[in-house]
Amino acid sequence: MKRRRFLTAIAVAPAVPALVAQQAAPQAPAPPSVGGRAGRGAATEVPKIPLVQPDEAAATTARYFSAPQLATLRKLAGQLLPPVKDNIGALDCDSVEFLDFLIGHSPAARQQIYKGGLNALNVAAQKQFGKAFGDLTGAQADTILKPLVVPVAWAYDPPKDPVKHFIFQAHQDIRTATRNSPEGSGGAGLFWNPIDPV
């Protein structure tokens, strides 16, 4: 039994000077707490900060496409899905910014379809009108797009021509992004919310 007491005393001995010094130091007054209560032992109130979606707090920034490609995609989206009657158009929501994010995280084959198609539209606009596709008027853009929009018998069998394939794919993606946006759902809450990680 004496041996146990001795080992306990040895284990506690290094902590004794620190405890004595702590008790000898003068106590500083406790700072006032949030909510107006002051003094030691007063419960502090933690302010509650409401959580919001990132898009509600800051503007979405495009990061994947270059500036000319993004301008081309914006013009293409406005031409393929303009606002009709009570339905919003592609430019009435962040569909272009969403596609920039989506394609930036897509497989390399899909990225190549988009980049090749956007570059081809810019080349055609420069050749025909001497300016970038994003700078064309609606009528000028239509003259380039009309031959490229072709009917497709089955959604899983897109056109073989790479530019027509791009127009077909982009049209589907622009419609889906617009329809599933918060603005496109008409405020009915039919769009997908982010998954809560908690």
Side-chain angles (χ1 to χ4, degrees):
M1 203 60 167
K2 290 180 184 178
R3 185 176 169 202
R4 272 192 197 163
R5 282 192 202 135
F6 174 73
L7 291 174
T8 305
I10 288 176
V12 172
V16 172
L19 288 172
V20 170
Q22 187 179 20
Q23 286 180 347
Q27 296 289 331
S33 65
V34 176
R37 286 182 267 163
R40 283 186 79 166
T44 59
E45 295 178 18
V46 178
K48 297 196 185 237
I49 301 171
L51 298 176
V52 296
Q53 296 301 321
D55 287 343
E56 294 175 18
T60 307
T61 56
R63 296 195 174 119
Y64 178 69
F65 291 119
S66 67
Q69 289 171 338
L70 194 65
T72 301
L73 183 59
R74 193 175 308 284
K75 186 69 176 180
L76 178 66
Q79 292 299 117
L80 292 179
L81 195 63
V84 178
K85 295 184 183 176
D86 294 333
N87 298 321
I88 67 166
L91 300 182
D92 296 328
C93 59
D94 290 332
S95 61
V96 174
E97 288 75 13
F98 173 76
L99 287 177
D100 178 75
F101 166 79
L102 176 70
I103 302 305
H105 291 81
S106 293
R110 190 172 191 191
Q111 291 177 345
Q112 191 55 44
I113 289 171
Y114 264 80
K115 283 192 166 187
L118 293 171
N119 292 339
L121 289 178
N122 266 326
V123 168
Q126 286 287 350
K127 193 175 184 183
Q128 207 165 342
F129 298 104
K131 50 186 175 180
F133 188 82
D135 297 331
L136 298 180
T137 65
Q140 290 171 333
D142 279 344
T143 60
I144 293 175
L145 290 176
K146 276 187 182 176
L148 300 174
V149 178
V150 293
V152 174
W154 194 43
Y156 297 103
D157 189 20
K160 303 293 182 226
D161 179 73
V163 182
K164 291 178 181 177
H165 181 177
F166 160 69
I167 296 295
F168 168 75
Q169 185 66 54
H171 195 192
Q172 281 190 323
D173 293 342
I174 290 165
R175 273 196 347 249
T176 303
T178 303
R179 185 173 52 238
N180 291 329
S181 69
E183 297 87 354
S185 70
L190 301 176
F191 57 92
W192 289 99
N193 281 319
I195 295 174
D196 189 355
V198 177

